[in-house]
Amino acid sequence: MSEQLDAGLIAEQIAESDQLGEPSDAREVGRARRRKEDARLVTGRTMWTDNIQLPGMLYVAFLRSPMAHARITRVDASAARTRPGVVAVYSGRDLAEEQGSLPCAWPVTEDIVIPDHPPMAVSEVRYVGEAVACVVATDRYKAADALEAIEVDYEPLEAVLDMTEALAEGAPRVHDSGNRAYTWKFAGGDIDEAFRDAPVVIERTYVQQRLIPSAMEPRAVVATTDGEAFTLYSATQIPHVLRVMLALTTGIPEHKLRVVAPDVGGGFGSKLQVTAEEVLGLLLTRRLGKPVKWTESRSEGNLTVHHGRDQLQRISLAADRDGRIRGVRVELLADMGAYLMLVTPGVPLLGAFMYNGIYKMDAYDFTCTGVFTTKMPTDAYRGAGRPEATFAIERAVDELAHELGMDPVEVRRRNWITHGEFPYTTICGLTYDSGNYEAATEKALALFGYDKLRAEQADRRERRDPVQLGIGVSTYTEMCGLAPSRVLGSLSYGAGGWEHATVRMLPTGKVEVVTGTSAHGQGHETAWSQIVADALGVPFDDVAVLHGDTAIAHKGMDTYGSRSLVVGGVAVLTACEKVKDRARELAAHMLEASADDIEFDGGSFTVRGTTEGKTIQELALAAFAAHDLPDGFEPRLDADATFDPDNFSFPHGTHLCAVEVDTETGEIAIRSYVAVDDVGSVVNPMIVDGQVHGGIAQGIAQALFEEAVYDPDGNLLTTTMADYLIPSAADLPEFTTDRTETPATSNPLGVKGVGEAGTIASTPAVVNAVVDALRPYGVHDVRMPCTPERIWRVVSEAGPPGPAPGSASAPGSTSGPASGSAPGSESTSGPASGSESTSGSGETASTSAEGAAR
């Protein structure tokens, strides 16, 4: 009872204090409201998938391969079937005829290799953690205990872990077809001309380490059937996409399949997937006629949730001596893992259009090769290709600044698109519709105290202080709001990018919004209510938002790619406009006036020049009663809308980071962090701040903390939170955040995406700061994550700092050409990817050293 009272008290306090800020015109859009959904989420009065209890429910546990690559020669489940509480045991062979293949919806080239991907391995395993058998029992503990009684014989095969070695002649094969999934090329301008006789050429190789998404809520699945139709509850980001794909995979007719995403505790792309457990859950409930549930453990999740990043980037940048960028060439190896999952092959290509960043240039050339390895497949992870691209170009621009002895901000100023040049079509063919990089940067520099920090840095270098100060700059843009559909079609993406919404006026004047987006922490219920409240002139609390259930929200393309507001929110607004059009027609009839003379303001329709009018609530009741309607007018004000934008949206910003690096211990402390983002018009500043804060934390995590590590046999070593390090609040600084605002022109709300911005911008800002601190030691790079051990090693190998600062922070300083550079140019090369740093030796970066980096 006391717990219920405490929960109720918390909910009341949230409700009483939900209004934290108010625009001067009292509009809802722009107001910093606390999220209405938090009243249930933070008090536990909600429904996660694992909370679901159904009569007669059974529980599933999976036996997973301990080997990275092997043939399965025998599976004996007879002993497991006799264990207490066990209802059934199945191997992959038992389900081979009905389990099908997990789908890949993005065949990026005509000759792409898409191997069969059975949800449960039948004859061969290709990564540690792949399911080989399952137990269904009366409780989860009995199911887990029975796994040990299953006997599996394996014939070991050679693991394939290194992307470069995987492509070599004679390498062991992950699949019979080989280890190359595809090669995709894209170019603009004359890249050979851009590099010919270029005074400065920067060449670097960067390792985007493999990351493991760590959503607060683990994945979970509940499947049930009434003998004819099926319902799947899943902690998923994509209930609508999942329904279509499950119907195609299992053969269950789509109209007989309902998918429900209850409250979902975070995703970051990891729940943008059609998983083996979802398919197998449906197959098991179909076989047994009873509900089944599976919930992953954290260590199981680290093994089997799809991983992120894992790319090897070779970037070359040609420039003039004044810092003007002439061209950029990118050669990318992308680790697909053992199979191609839902959008695996397309993730690196989302970054293909972003390696140019915010910069003008004459030419661009991009090549990506997808490579199979015997590791967990990769797929979308927060930012999906765009953080990787931003990291490479922002690191390379810092290297250019150092080479030229220029301030890194000044180099960016000399190359970025100025605010007067928008809309601007980039070398990649995208049209950036709006932006002001100058304003965002100037605000960030002022908040950061840039000049003062540079002066302190120079002083520390002069004193040879063992704790060096580094300053990192990241100026970014991204393409988000994943759409328009025709562009996605041109990239061979397997679906559209539209979004659907329904707005229903209830007889009592309240409003129900049905949205095709599916929230997992973004605050859709609050933001959509604010949009509707302004559009229809109804109170914020009179709006309810329904989502995440294909039986309620029958159409949608779901949530990922920072698309919810810029596509789904606009669909809601469009539906509201249709509701008003219907209400205006009814008002004109009831007020005996022409519809052209009916004006709408603040929720009321009045005859122009008079005070005579009807509220939208009165019209909703009149439509319901249907006593006096215009001829042919249906008794409803409800409306549907589907929005498919003409262009992506392009948020941008400047992030600045100051770090203190102890060169004697390798310890890094983030001293200050400033982020100024431009996400267009802001619906709810509090939600925007939360998204930026969370994104920065994730980007810092890649820079300093997180890495999925495999041993030479393909065993994942980072299966627990003790091994896979994610930062806590104690590990992160206070963030100073602010905004500039240039409304998007691609949608009537003027909004841009925000969900991925912080992650995209923060990683290069932090690593640029770390490298900047170590410039006096001749260090050009530190491989992520920049751990204390790695810092200590690169400093120890580099030796004492040179006699002069020699840093980009000292404008006017110069550095001579690297040894071995071509005549007439100054070409500097970063580390071979297996090395921890470079010390300015001029060693050519080589992807063949990737194995040493693993």
Side-chain angles (χ1 to χ4, degrees), residues 520-537:
H520 43 279
Q522 296 89 343
H524 293 178
E525 293 177 35
T526 301
W528 281 209
S529 295
Q530 290 179 270
I531 293 169
V532 172
D534 279 354
L536 299 182

CSV table of all heavy atoms in Angstrom, one decimal, residues 520-537:
chain,number,residue,atom,x,y,z
A,520,HIS,N,10.1,4.7,-27.9
A,520,HIS,CA,10.9,3.9,-27.0
A,520,HIS,C,11.8,4.8,-26.1
A,520,HIS,O,12.9,4.5,-25.8
A,520,HIS,CB,11.7,2.8,-27.6
A,520,HIS,CG,12.4,3.2,-28.9
A,520,HIS,ND1,11.8,3.3,-30.1
A,520,HIS,CD2,13.7,3.6,-29.1
A,520,HIS,CE1,12.7,3.7,-31.0
A,520,HIS,NE2,13.8,3.9,-30.4
A,521,GLY,N,11.1,5.9,-25.7
A,521,GLY,CA,11.8,6.9,-24.8
A,521,GLY,C,11.9,8.3,-25.4
A,521,GLY,O,12.4,9.2,-24.7
A,522,GLN,N,11.3,8.5,-26.5
A,522,GLN,CA,11.5,9.9,-27.2
A,522,GLN,C,10.5,10.9,-26.7
A,522,GLN,O,10.6,12.1,-27.1
A,522,GLN,CB,11.5,9.7,-28.7
A,522,GLN,CG,12.6,8.9,-29.3
A,522,GLN,CD,12.2,7.4,-29.4
A,522,GLN,OE1,11.3,7.0,-28.7
A,522,GLN,NE2,13.0,6.7,-30.2
A,523,GLY,N,9.4,10.5,-26.1
A,523,GLY,CA,8.4,11.5,-25.6
A,523,GLY,C,7.4,11.8,-26.7
A,523,GLY,O,6.8,12.9,-26.7
A,524,HIS,N,7.0,10.9,-27.5
A,524,HIS,CA,6.0,11.1,-28.6
A,524,HIS,C,4.7,11.6,-28.0
A,524,HIS,O,4.0,12.4,-28.6
A,524,HIS,CB,5.8,9.9,-29.5
A,524,HIS,CG,7.0,9.5,-30.3
A,524,HIS,ND1,7.0,8.4,-31.1
A,524,HIS,CD2,8.2,10.1,-30.4
A,524,HIS,CE1,8.2,8.3,-31.7
A,524,HIS,NE2,9.0,9.3,-31.2
A,525,GLU,N,4.2,10.9,-27.0
A,525,GLU,CA,2.9,11.2,-26.4
A,525,GLU,C,2.8,12.7,-26.0
A,525,GLU,O,1.8,13.4,-26.2
A,525,GLU,CB,2.6,10.3,-25.2
A,525,GLU,CG,2.4,8.9,-25.6
A,525,GLU,CD,2.2,8.0,-24.4
A,525,GLU,OE1,1.5,8.4,-23.5
A,525,GLU,OE2,2.7,6.8,-24.5
A,526,THR,N,3.9,13.2,-25.5
A,526,THR,CA,3.9,14.7,-25.1
A,526,THR,C,4.0,15.6,-26.3
A,526,THR,O,3.2,16.5,-26.4
A,526,THR,CB,5.1,14.9,-24.1
A,526,THR,OG1,5.0,14.1,-23.0
A,526,THR,CG2,5.2,16.3,-23.7
A,527,ALA,N,5.0,15.3,-27.1
A,527,ALA,CA,5.2,16.2,-28.3
A,527,ALA,C,4.0,16.2,-29.2
A,527,ALA,O,3.6,17.3,-29.7
A,527,ALA,CB,6.5,15.8,-29.0
A,528,TRP,N,3.5,15.0,-29.5
A,528,TRP,CA,2.3,15.0,-30.4
A,528,TRP,C,1.1,15.7,-29.8
A,528,TRP,O,0.4,16.4,-30.5
A,528,TRP,CB,2.0,13.5,-30.7
A,528,TRP,CG,2.8,12.8,-31.7
A,528,TRP,CD1,2.3,11.7,-32.5
A,528,TRP,CD2,4.1,12.9,-32.0
A,528,TRP,NE1,3.3,11.2,-33.2
A,528,TRP,CE2,4.4,11.9,-33.0
A,528,TRP,CE3,5.2,13.7,-31.6
A,528,TRP,CZ2,5.7,11.7,-33.6
A,528,TRP,CZ3,6.4,13.5,-32.1
A,528,TRP,CH2,6.7,12.6,-33.1
A,529,SER,N,1.0,15.6,-28.5
A,529,SER,CA,-0.1,16.3,-27.8
A,529,SER,C,0.1,17.8,-27.9
A,529,SER,O,-0.9,18.6,-28.1
A,529,SER,CB,-0.2,15.9,-26.3
A,529,SER,OG,-0.5,14.6,-26.2
A,530,GLN,N,1.3,18.3,-27.9
A,530,GLN,CA,1.6,19.7,-28.0
A,530,GLN,C,1.2,20.2,-29.4
A,530,GLN,O,0.6,21.3,-29.6
A,530,GLN,CB,3.0,20.0,-27.7
A,530,GLN,CG,3.3,19.9,-26.2
A,530,GLN,CD,4.8,20.2,-25.9
A,530,GLN,OE1,5.6,19.3,-25.9
A,530,GLN,NE2,5.1,21.4,-25.6
A,531,ILE,N,1.6,19.4,-30.4
A,531,ILE,CA,1.3,19.8,-31.8
A,531,ILE,C,-0.2,19.9,-32.0
A,531,ILE,O,-0.7,20.8,-32.6
A,531,ILE,CB,1.9,18.8,-32.8
A,531,ILE,CG1,3.5,18.9,-32.7
A,531,ILE,CG2,1.4,19.0,-34.2
A,531,ILE,CD1,4.2,17.8,-33.4
A,532,VAL,N,-0.9,18.9,-31.5
A,532,VAL,CA,-2.4,18.8,-31.7
A,532,VAL,C,-3.1,19.9,-30.9
A,532,VAL,O,-4.0,20.5,-31.4
A,532,VAL,CB,-2.9,17.4,-31.3
A,532,VAL,CG1,-4.4,17.4,-31.3
A,532,VAL,CG2,-2.4,16.3,-32.3
A,533,ALA,N,-2.6,20.2,-29.7
A,533,ALA,CA,-3.3,21.2,-28.9
A,533,ALA,C,-3.2,22.6,-29.6
A,533,ALA,O,-4.2,23.3,-29.7
A,533,ALA,CB,-2.6,21.3,-27.6
A,534,ASP,N,-2.1,22.9,-30.2
A,534,ASP,CA,-2.0,24.1,-31.0
A,534,ASP,C,-2.8,24.1,-32.3
A,534,ASP,O,-3.5,25.1,-32.6
A,534,ASP,CB,-0.5,24.4,-31.3
A,534,ASP,CG,0.2,25.1,-30.2
A,534,ASP,OD1,-0.4,25.4,-29.1
A,534,ASP,OD2,1.4,25.2,-30.3
A,535,ALA,N,-2.7,23.0,-33.0
A,535,ALA,CA,-3.4,22.9,-34.3
A,535,ALA,C,-4.9,23.0,-34.2
A,535,ALA,O,-5.6,23.6,-35.0
A,535,ALA,CB,-3.0,21.6,-35.0
A,536,LEU,N,-5.5,22.3,-33.1
A,536,LEU,CA,-6.9,22.3,-33.0
A,536,LEU,C,-7.5,23.2,-31.9
A,536,LEU,O,-8.7,23.3,-31.8
A,536,LEU,CB,-7.4,20.8,-32.7
A,536,LEU,CG,-7.0,19.8,-33.7
A,536,LEU,CD1,-7.5,18.4,-33.3
A,536,LEU,CD2,-7.6,20.2,-35.1
A,537,GLY,N,-6.6,23.8,-31.2
A,537,GLY,CA,-7.1,24.7,-30.1
A,537,GLY,C,-7.7,24.0,-29.0
A,537,GLY,O,-8.7,24.5,-28.4
